Amino acid sequence: MMTSFHDLADRLNVRRPPKNPLRSAQLRRLLAALCAGLAVFMGLQCLRSTIATRPAVVATQHIHRGGTITASAIAMRSIPYDAAWDNAFHTIDDVTGMVARIDIPSGGIVTTTMARASPTVPQGYTAVEVRLASAIDGLDVGDEVTLSSAVLAEGDAHNDGEALCELALQAVMMGKPTKDANGMVTATFAMPPAEAAAVLQAQEYAAIIAVIR
């Protein structure tokens, strides 16, 4: 007659390990949690595959207003398809070399309202450096400004002050203004040659101010 394992265990007085109900419950809860997590993950993957996306240009670093947007400062990302982003740039080449019109934060989607084409000297214009006495906070690359200088007012015996003389009516700012150690601001503007000559002559004895058109 064959002896079962349980009979042999009883004869040898070997006790079987008792079941641990607490541990079994913990294992069941762990398995249930794993199954639930897997189900959620699979559901998200299915949902993600059904959401339409489109490529968009985003900033990989903070781009300051007036700065040139370089290829190293931007990258391509996939974003959800939304009509709100119809004005976003969709290729690196479209935005490289443009000038930021506002501060663009790192990670921000670059849109057509945030950048403008880098200006070029118009046909028949010349570019000259101009020393400015006016504030430059509101000036952006590509802005058209009127350049004026202060001159003594004439023809009025009661007016012992100064008047503004307009030297260039549509000067285009070609690059970001720079400031030297003495606080002198210099910017390059494109304008017709006759106006450029007047500006260069005037800045030798009078302050030049720029007014945004």
Side-chain angles (χ1 to χ4, degrees):
M1 180 181 297
M2 297 184 62
T3 302
S4 67
F5 171 79
H6 297 299
D7 292 337
L8 182 60
D10 290 337
R11 292 178 184 179
L12 296 175
N13 197 25
V14 177
R15 294 183 179 181
R16 288 171 290 176
K19 293 184 178 179
N20 189 334
L22 179 59
R23 185 175 182 182
S24 298
Q26 290 176 338
L27 288 174
R28 286 195 297 270
R29 285 196 296 270
L30 179 59
L31 289 174
L34 289 174
C35 291
L38 182 60
V40 171
F41 175 76
M42 296 301 294
L44 290 176
Q45 290 297 104
C46 293
L47 180 62
R48 183 179 180 184
S49 64
T50 62
I51 297 176
T53 60
R54 62 165 61 174
V57 177
V58 300
T60 58
Q61 63 190 53
H62 187 89
I63 303 173
H64 293 281
R65 170 186 169 185
T68 300
I69 302 175
T70 62
S72 61
I74 51 179
M76 296 300 302
R77 297 285 188 270
S78 292
I79 62 173
Y81 192 97
D82 192 309
W85 298 117
D86 283 347
N87 64 341
F89 287 101
H90 301 298
T91 68
I92 295 292
D93 291 340
D94 285 346
V95 69
T96 299
M98 300 189 80
V99 176
R101 305 183 69 173
I102 60 173
D103 283 350
I104 304 175
S106 177
I109 298 173
V110 185
T111 66
T112 55
T113 59
M114 297 178 180
R116 69 168 74 182
S118 181
T120 57
V121 179
Q123 185 72 26
Y125 276 40
T126 187
V128 295
E129 287 191 348
V130 181
R131 296 189 300 273
L132 297 176
S134 56
I136 59 173
D137 295 339
L139 291 178
D140 284 331
V141 176
D143 279 347
E144 285 191 358
V145 302
T146 297
L147 296 177
S148 303
S149 69
V151 296
L152 292 177
E154 298 179 356
D156 189 348
H158 300 287
N159 187 349
D160 56 358
E162 294 182 342
L164 288 179
C165 174
E166 294 182 342
L167 303 172
L169 299 179
Q170 292 182 318
V172 181
M173 192 164 76
M174 303 301 296
K176 291 186 63 175
T178 60
K179 184 181 294 186
D180 62 20
N182 298 321
M184 179 64 68
V185 176
T186 302
T188 300
F189 291 92
M191 64 194 81
E195 293 182 352
V199 169
L200 292 176
Q201 182 179 8
Q203 73 178 357
E204 295 302 322
Y205 60 85
I208 306 294
I209 64 172
V211 179
I212 301 176
R213 294 176 56 84

